Amino acid sequence: MIRSQQICSVILLASCVHLKAYEMPVHAWVTKTAFDRSALSGNPELYQRLGFDRLTLDYPFNAQSTACESYADAAPDWLTGNFLPPNDSSVRFRCISEFERGFMPLPYSGRTYSVLTPEFPAPPGQTPHLRFEAWLMRGAIREDDFASKFYANNGPDTDPWVDRTRVFNHFYSPVTNTVDTLQIDIVRGGPALNWALGEANPFSGAAQVPDPTRGNHFSYMDARRAYFFALTYKQTQAVPDPFPALNSKLDSNIRMNLWSTTLKSLGHVIHLMQDQASPQHSRGEPHNHTCVKPAEFISQDFATRTYENFINYRLVFRFNARSPNVPYVATNDCEEALWRNEFELSGQRPPDNIDPWNRPYPIPKFSVQRKFFTTRAAADPTDPALLPRALLNTRAGLGDYANRGFFTQDYQQGNYQSPPAINSPEFVIETEDPINVPGKGLVRLQSLYWAVPDSVAPTFADVNLRAGKAPIASQSVWCEMLAKDTFDCALASILSLRNYNQMADMLIPRAVAYTTGMLDFFFRGKLEIEPNAQRMYGVVDMGQPHTMNAGGYPVVTANGKVLGFEKIRLKVRNLTDPIIESGTNANVPQIASAGKLVAVARYHRNPCYKPDLSGERTVGYVAPPLVAPISEPTCSGTGLNAGTRTSYQEISVSAEIPITSETDLPGGRGTVPASVEKTFDFSADPIPVNATDLFIQVVYRGQLGEETDGIAVGIVDVQENTVFATWNNTDYYFSELANQWFEQNPQPGSFIARPMVGMTICAGNPSRVVYRYTAANGPGFPFYLPPLTPGVARLGFLFGKPSIPTGRYAFRVNPLMATPPSARQRVPSGPAHQKQANKEIFTTNDPLPAPRDCALNPPVGSENVWCVDPIKRRRGQIMGAIAEPVYYTSAANNSDASDVDAPPAHVVFPGLRVREGGVNHFDIDATPVLCPAPNARGDSVVSVELKEEAAELGIDLDEVRLDN
């Protein structure tokens, strides 16, 4: 091992300074740049899949907490197997600080600057330090935390579990599979790879097993755990829960904290991976420093720690030129003036730009998280002398590249085989232009050029290459002439500032690309959700007697359970793309083969809801072209139950469905497989009938490709509860000849009013039964006969979002009269009901706007949107979003009649009798049964199915002629 001089001077800064890792502003810059290249920034589909598209970009994880903006620092066993409530023994919620923000790039830092350029744009929004990318940067910054004793003032908050110095765990050599550095006992740390991944042994086998005693609560394992519970966390509450709304809001806040924890934890992980782009980290050379006395004895010398300071200076001196009043610290607090003076007097100012750092190195792809650090095999030798260079050069991790490609200050070659010894014929030596050193004149260096092996992108156009070789070291002609007889100088290689610039210009673009690859890998899992064959996601009988509790939830009188959708049927497939591994081009399918599947309904609530629907917007009938006025509901709720939409997002979580093979969740091979239908059981946690802003996510957790505990997510925009009402309207009949309604003739005849004793509701093609009411279920649905009120069936359906603005959903009602003939089969249709906002949270400064009718897609941009489709009033009563009367017609072609309230005016109902007791076949039938044939006077099966298809395509049903 050859050591160069360890003297701190202007002369040596010009010709003999040495390599270190990256300071916090550089980590933050690399992270922000990687975020901009990643799917997290450029893939709207991913934002939608995660539910991020409805969050405010300036402030996405708003937990509506008055205390502080926080994240969860959780013990390793929190939430293991259970939805446990947090307490001080399991999780601490830690506040963000200005300490972190101070190291972020200039637009995020809170510093003011006047001249705007493309490189220094205006800050992105009012709170840039709370954006998605800022949470990643926050983790990348805080991974460099020291114990509190090392901060004189203005340090970060102290780790609430152990007051630790995290940087002692930042070394890892992929050649020796150890920290590969000499450390005194009081600062000894473990391998950075284990620390980053949260695994006791990343090479123990195919399974990535978490270390239950890990001291790092922001490892990859913790990021993945926070990711899953950000999607699914909901405390198991007492039944009945005395404070349901309050507990739901607390859960909502925790999920927001878990989202910020997910990104912050990833920031910690990618910091450790970025450190692998420093040869001192991937070759085990200490380079620490402390300003605290008397602990300076653990600091390394001035020359050994220069690279970190110089490269950071290269970045932030440009920030400080824009914002000089509150400058960034380029080196360290206690030596800042000394370092800056040395750099300025050295005669080598930093380059005018960092354009080489922005070169788009190809984004690497790997099958497991470990390989972003190193692709060494578990059986590879750990003795460098036994590791063939040919094998070493095939490795594709970031640490592999830096370890084999560059020297370090003290160890230089050390006991590694690559780069080769300085006197190797592989080096090409060229004399460079002289450097002016104040007081010493011109100093001429000879650069040692060598081809750095790159197995991922061997043809990547790095800067300053000569015949494919880079200047990775130097020799000082001046040093040789002045001190030929000194061991430290004779024939020694040195690392000049020019070498440092070259190393940064090669290593930082790769650090950016590998960071991007890690982010894309973490969020790669993708599911697709489709409607089932019945084109319905859920059905609920709203005739069940229910009331509203103090928390604003509809509860069934008989059992106290929330009235809502208990079974959700949908089709799922795995659309995660295969991974084509960098370096080997191996195709690794992302098969989901051993895990669990859960559905998560995400929603707000309308606390104004009432069982008689009087808490809804309603609209009556007026003859076209007049527009009927909409009546808004009045609410008396306060606090969490004020208004028609709660301010926080809630979830309902289904029971788990086991996934044991690819057959259970097909896909992951790059082709588009057939989806499989799944029935998700929400009976323990129903989706309330008064849910607004309803989305359904399906979350898979388990084996995904070669990752033991991967996560894949899909989402579908499910429209809100579409209330359907049908009733016996045979006290009137419709004359198609006159295109008019008439009261039934009291004399016996074909159109006499008849009691309706039952009905069957069907959907899909082929049509299947979703609900049935028979005489055995209750008193049936008599027509209106004063002083009695009519019987009404009221159901709730969950439909998807129409594919076109005029799309409608159609299904079938087959009535059964006590005296034949029964009225014809009806095909009610309508758009799915919408009660949605375009943001999750509206604050006091950004209030919920007045509701309006809904379009298929809300407007983009800054406009606040709150749309609520009205529910229909018919015959003086609130019926539903789709109101379908059962009646007789006078002709065989059975075209749809005009609106039931069209002239002449019908008698207004004095009230309704909403029936209960029907059978929800959608929920209970494992395989829904075929719908019965249409009634004798009704349409044929084929014509009805054609009519349904026309509705879904947005074709006017009145223009569709149907023949028997």
Side-chain angles (χ1 to χ4, degrees), residues 351-386:
D352 289 333
N353 61 64
I354 55 172
D355 291 347
W357 297 6
N358 287 299
R359 290 200 167 203
Y361 186 83
I363 298 172
K365 296 182 179 181
F366 297 106
S367 60
V368 292
Q369 55 271 29
R370 168 182 55 80
K371 292 183 178 180
F372 287 92
F373 292 76
T374 176
T375 60
R376 72 177 302 275
D380 284 353
T382 56
D383 182 346
L386 301 178

Side-chain angles (χ1 to χ4, degrees), residues 506-668:
M506 296 175 71
L507 289 163
I508 290 180
R510 288 166 173 82
V512 170
Y514 276 75
T515 299
T516 301
M518 175 70 86
L519 294 175
D520 290 349
F521 174 82
F522 186 87
F523 291 108
R524 76 193 184 283
K526 177 182 179 180
L527 305 180
E528 183 180 70
I529 303 172
E530 298 178 311
N532 62 4
Q534 294 169 282
R535 301 181 178 90
M536 288 183 178
Y537 291 98
V539 176
V540 63
D541 183 354
M542 296 182 65
Q544 302 171 72
H546 58 284
T547 58
M548 293 295 288
N549 66 16
Y553 295 85
V555 292
V556 180
T557 305
N559 53 27
K561 181 189 289 189
V562 169
L563 176 65
F565 299 90
E566 298 190 7
K567 296 290 176 66
I568 297 296
R569 294 177 183 266
L570 42 81
K571 298 169 71 175
V572 189
R573 57 187 166 196
N574 174 17
L575 290 189
T576 308
D577 290 328
I579 292 174
I580 309 301
E581 284 209 305
S582 298
T584 65
N585 288 325
N587 186 317
V588 184
Q590 298 301 288
I591 297 170
S593 56
K596 59 185 178 183
L597 202 65
V598 297
V600 182
R602 317 190 80 84
Y603 52 86
H604 295 247
R605 280 180 298 109
N606 173 17
C608 281
Y609 173 85
K610 300 291 188 296
D612 64 358
L613 304 184
S614 60
E616 309 298 315
R617 302 182 88 202
T618 58
V619 60
Y621 170 82
V622 295
L626 298 176
V627 177
I630 295 174
S631 300
E632 303 291 347
T634 56
C635 304
S636 58
T638 60
L640 295 179
N641 292 326
T644 57
R645 179 185 186 264
T646 52
S647 63
Y648 53 94
Q649 187 190 76
E650 299 179 63
I651 64 173
S652 293
V653 183
S654 76
E656 296 176 359
I657 296 177
I659 302 298
T660 60
S661 70
E662 183 183 357
T663 304
D664 293 331
L665 187 59

Side-chain angles (χ1 to χ4, degrees), residues 68 135 141 144 200 243 292 323 424 532 563-564 643 673 701 733 804 929:
C68 67
W135 280 105
I141 291 166
D144 264 344
F243 307 106
V292 178
S323 182
S424 169
N532 62 4
L563 176 65
R701 185 177 186 183
Y733 75 94
I804 57 175
V929 299

Side-chain angles (χ1 to χ4, degrees), residues 838-853:
N838 67 333
K839 294 181 181 179
E840 287 294 348
I841 294 174
F842 292 82
T843 65
T844 54
N845 296 324
D846 185 20
L848 192 70
R852 67 186 192 189
D853 291 341

Side-chain angles (χ1 to χ4, degrees), residues 674-914:
S675 55
V676 292
E677 183 168 326
K678 303 289 184 183
T679 299
F680 291 93
D681 186 354
F682 284 86
S683 58
D685 191 13
I687 305 168
V689 295
N690 61 336
T692 72
D693 304 87
L694 182 59
F695 297 81
I696 294 179
Q697 284 174 315
V698 176
V699 183
Y700 168 79
R701 185 177 186 183
Q703 188 80 40
L704 187 62
E706 293 183 4
E707 187 180 14
T708 303
D709 192 17
I711 294 173
V713 183
I715 193 168
V716 62
D717 184 358
V718 176
Q719 304 296 69
E720 287 61 51
N721 179 19
T722 301
V723 179
F724 164 72
T726 187
W727 67 96
N728 187 344
N729 205 75
T730 58
D731 56 332
Y732 282 77
Y733 75 94
F734 183 73
S735 170
E736 293 175 305
L737 182 63
N739 192 32
Q740 185 174 332
W741 289 91
F742 293 99
E743 289 188 61
Q744 289 287 2
N745 189 327
Q747 302 300 318
S750 299
F751 306 112
I752 191 170
R754 293 175 172 85
M756 187 169 75
V757 295
M759 72 175 70
T760 301
I761 297 179
C762 307
N765 187 2
S767 189
R768 306 278 181 171
V769 174
V770 298
Y771 176 85
R772 179 174 279 153
Y773 187 102
T774 67
N777 299 130
F781 306 92
F783 58 87
Y784 175 54
L785 183 65
L788 300 178
T789 54
V792 175
R794 180 174 287 159
L795 304 173
F797 296 131
L798 289 186
F799 295 113
K801 193 173 184 179
S803 57
I804 57 175
T806 56
R808 300 163 70 87
Y809 289 91
F811 48 97
R812 313 174 195 185
V813 178
N814 204 20
L816 178 63
M817 276 30 197
T819 303
S822 293
R824 73 177 180 93
Q825 185 180 64
R826 305 294 301 159
V827 186
S829 68
H833 190 60
Q834 293 187 63
K835 297 176 69 174
Q836 293 187 356
N838 67 333
K839 294 181 181 179
E840 287 294 348
I841 294 174
F842 292 82
T843 65
T844 54
N845 296 324
D846 185 20
L848 192 70
R852 67 186 192 189
D853 291 341
C854 304
L856 181 60
N857 295 306
V860 296
S862 59
E863 182 181 0
N864 299 334
V865 178
W866 168 232
C867 66
V868 181
D869 288 330
I871 284 181
K872 296 176 181 177
R873 285 181 177 269
R874 294 297 181 265
R875 300 193 70 166
Q877 298 296 324
I878 305 174
M879 292 296 185
I882 300 176
E884 182 64 32
V886 172
Y887 56 91
Y888 288 96
T889 61
S890 62
N893 63 349
N894 298 312
S895 65
D896 282 346
S898 59
D899 192 281
V900 70
D901 278 355
H906 289 43
V907 174
V908 173
F909 290 153
L912 300 176
R913 289 178 290 172
V914 181

Side-chain angles (χ1 to χ4, degrees), residues 71-75 87-94 160-161:
Y71 57 93
D73 186 347
N87 57 56
D88 283 347
S89 65
S90 61
V91 61
R92 310 290 177 85
F93 294 95
R94 299 172 62 179
W161 304 98

